[in-house]
PDB file of all heavy atoms in Angstrom:
ATOM      1  N   PRO H  28     138.377 133.664 116.397  1.00  0.00           N
ATOM      2  CA  PRO H  28     138.822 134.467 115.252  1.00  0.00           C
ATOM      3  C   PRO H  28     137.737 134.613 114.187  1.00  0.00           C
ATOM      4  O   PRO H  28     136.651 134.052 114.262  1.00  0.00           O
ATOM      5  CB  PRO H  28     139.973 133.627 114.718  1.00  0.00           C
ATOM      6  CG  PRO H  28     139.524 132.206 114.969  1.00  0.00           C
ATOM      7  CD  PRO H  28     138.706 132.227 116.224  1.00  0.00           C
ATOM      8  N   PHE H  29     138.104 135.394 113.186  1.00  0.00           N
ATOM      9  CA  PHE H  29     137.348 135.479 111.948  1.00  0.00           C
ATOM     10  C   PHE H  29     138.231 134.838 110.882  1.00  0.00           C
ATOM     11  O   PHE H  29     139.281 135.382 110.523  1.00  0.00           O
ATOM     12  CB  PHE H  29     137.060 136.949 111.597  1.00  0.00           C
ATOM     13  CG  PHE H  29     136.084 137.128 110.477  1.00  0.00           C
ATOM     14  CD1 PHE H  29     134.783 137.528 110.741  1.00  0.00           C
ATOM     15  CD2 PHE H  29     136.455 136.908 109.161  1.00  0.00           C
ATOM     16  CE1 PHE H  29     133.882 137.712 109.712  1.00  0.00           C
ATOM     17  CE2 PHE H  29     135.558 137.082 108.127  1.00  0.00           C
ATOM     18  CZ  PHE H  29     134.252 137.485 108.390  1.00  0.00           C
ATOM     19  N   ILE H  30     137.814 133.690 110.337  1.00  0.00           N
ATOM     20  CA  ILE H  30     138.693 132.881 109.488  1.00  0.00           C
ATOM     21  C   ILE H  30     138.070 132.735 108.107  1.00  0.00           C
ATOM     22  O   ILE H  30     136.874 132.436 107.973  1.00  0.00           O
ATOM     23  CB  ILE H  30     138.936 131.493 110.118  1.00  0.00           C
ATOM     24  CG1 ILE H  30     139.588 131.644 111.493  1.00  0.00           C
ATOM     25  CG2 ILE H  30     139.788 130.625 109.205  1.00  0.00           C
ATOM     26  CD1 ILE H  30     139.737 130.330 112.233  1.00  0.00           C
ATOM     27  N   PHE H  31     138.914 132.915 107.096  1.00  0.00           N
ATOM     28  CA  PHE H  31     138.574 132.543 105.728  1.00  0.00           C
ATOM     29  C   PHE H  31     139.169 131.168 105.451  1.00  0.00           C
ATOM     30  O   PHE H  31     140.392 131.001 105.473  1.00  0.00           O
ATOM     31  CB  PHE H  31     139.119 133.565 104.718  1.00  0.00           C
ATOM     32  CG  PHE H  31     138.396 134.875 104.732  1.00  0.00           C
ATOM     33  CD1 PHE H  31     138.855 135.934 105.498  1.00  0.00           C
ATOM     34  CD2 PHE H  31     137.248 135.061 103.976  1.00  0.00           C
ATOM     35  CE1 PHE H  31     138.192 137.146 105.502  1.00  0.00           C
ATOM     36  CE2 PHE H  31     136.582 136.269 103.991  1.00  0.00           C
ATOM     37  CZ  PHE H  31     137.045 137.318 104.745  1.00  0.00           C
ATOM     38  N   LEU H  32     138.309 130.170 105.185  1.00  0.00           N
ATOM     39  CA  LEU H  32     138.785 128.822 104.841  1.00  0.00           C
ATOM     40  C   LEU H  32     138.713 128.713 103.323  1.00  0.00           C
ATOM     41  O   LEU H  32     137.637 128.577 102.733  1.00  0.00           O
ATOM     42  CB  LEU H  32     137.918 127.749 105.504  1.00  0.00           C
ATOM     43  CG  LEU H  32     138.403 126.311 105.363  1.00  0.00           C
ATOM     44  CD1 LEU H  32     139.776 126.137 106.025  1.00  0.00           C
ATOM     45  CD2 LEU H  32     137.392 125.346 105.971  1.00  0.00           C
ATOM     46  N   SER H  33     139.879 128.819 102.690  1.00  0.00           N
ATOM     47  CA  SER H  33     139.932 128.903 101.229  1.00  0.00           C
ATOM     48  C   SER H  33     140.444 127.591 100.641  1.00  0.00           C
ATOM     49  O   SER H  33     140.998 126.726 101.330  1.00  0.00           O
ATOM     50  CB  SER H  33     140.837 130.063 100.796  1.00  0.00           C
ATOM     51  OG  SER H  33     142.174 129.808 101.210  1.00  0.00           O
ATOM     52  N   GLY H  34     140.259 127.471  99.362  1.00  0.00           N
ATOM     53  CA  GLY H  34     140.733 126.299  98.632  1.00  0.00           C
ATOM     54  C   GLY H  34     140.095 126.254  97.263  1.00  0.00           C
ATOM     55  O   GLY H  34     139.022 126.824  97.016  1.00  0.00           O
ATOM     56  N   LYS H  35     140.768 125.565  96.343  1.00  0.00           N
ATOM     57  CA  LYS H  35     140.241 125.442  94.993  1.00  0.00           C
ATOM     58  C   LYS H  35     139.050 124.479  94.984  1.00  0.00           C
ATOM     59  O   LYS H  35     138.891 123.667  95.890  1.00  0.00           O
ATOM     60  CB  LYS H  35     141.337 124.949  94.052  1.00  0.00           C
ATOM     61  CG  LYS H  35     142.491 125.924  93.903  1.00  0.00           C
ATOM     62  CD  LYS H  35     143.475 125.433  92.878  1.00  0.00           C
ATOM     63  CE  LYS H  35     144.622 126.421  92.717  1.00  0.00           C
ATOM     64  NZ  LYS H  35     144.157 127.751  92.243  1.00  0.00           N
ATOM     65  N   PRO H  36     138.178 124.571  93.979  1.00  0.00           N
ATOM     66  CA  PRO H  36     137.063 123.619  93.882  1.00  0.00           C
ATOM     67  C   PRO H  36     137.568 122.183  93.865  1.00  0.00           C
ATOM     68  O   PRO H  36     138.479 121.829  93.120  1.00  0.00           O
ATOM     69  CB  PRO H  36     136.391 123.999  92.555  1.00  0.00           C
ATOM     70  CG  PRO H  36     136.763 125.432  92.327  1.00  0.00           C
ATOM     71  CD  PRO H  36     138.142 125.584  92.904  1.00  0.00           C
ATOM     72  N   GLY H  37     136.972 121.354  94.710  1.00  0.00           N
ATOM     73  CA  GLY H  37     137.399 119.959  94.802  1.00  0.00           C
ATOM     74  C   GLY H  37     138.468 119.708  95.823  1.00  0.00           C
ATOM     75  O   GLY H  37     138.949 118.579  95.954  1.00  0.00           O
ATOM     76  N   SER H  38     138.864 120.737  96.564  1.00  0.00           N
ATOM     77  CA  SER H  38     139.930 120.544  97.551  1.00  0.00           C
ATOM     78  C   SER H  38     139.436 119.877  98.823  1.00  0.00           C
ATOM     79  O   SER H  38     140.243 119.467  99.660  1.00  0.00           O
ATOM     80  CB  SER H  38     140.564 121.898  97.889  1.00  0.00           C
ATOM     81  OG  SER H  38     139.583 122.776  98.418  1.00  0.00           O
ATOM     82  N   GLY H  39     138.131 119.779  99.020  1.00  0.00           N
ATOM     83  CA  GLY H  39     137.598 119.099 100.195  1.00  0.00           C
ATOM     84  C   GLY H  39     137.257 120.030 101.338  1.00  0.00           C
ATOM     85  O   GLY H  39     137.324 119.621 102.503  1.00  0.00           O
ATOM     86  N   ARG H  40     136.846 121.276 101.043  1.00  0.00           N
ATOM     87  CA  ARG H  40     136.500 122.203 102.113  1.00  0.00           C
ATOM     88  C   ARG H  40     135.271 121.734 102.889  1.00  0.00           C
ATOM     89  O   ARG H  40     135.243 121.801 104.125  1.00  0.00           O
ATOM     90  CB  ARG H  40     136.215 123.598 101.536  1.00  0.00           C
ATOM     91  CG  ARG H  40     137.394 124.284 100.881  1.00  0.00           C
ATOM     92  CD  ARG H  40     137.076 125.738 100.614  1.00  0.00           C
ATOM     93  NE  ARG H  40     135.787 125.926  99.961  1.00  0.00           N
ATOM     94  CZ  ARG H  40     135.632 126.090  98.650  1.00  0.00           C
ATOM     95  NH1 ARG H  40     136.708 126.086  97.857  1.00  0.00           N
ATOM     96  NH2 ARG H  40     134.447 126.280  98.132  1.00  0.00           N
TER      97      ARG H  40
END
Side-chain angles (χ1 to χ4, degrees):
F29 190 105
I30 300 174
F31 288 94
L32 187 62
S33 64
K35 296 185 179 299
S38 60
R40 295 192 312 263

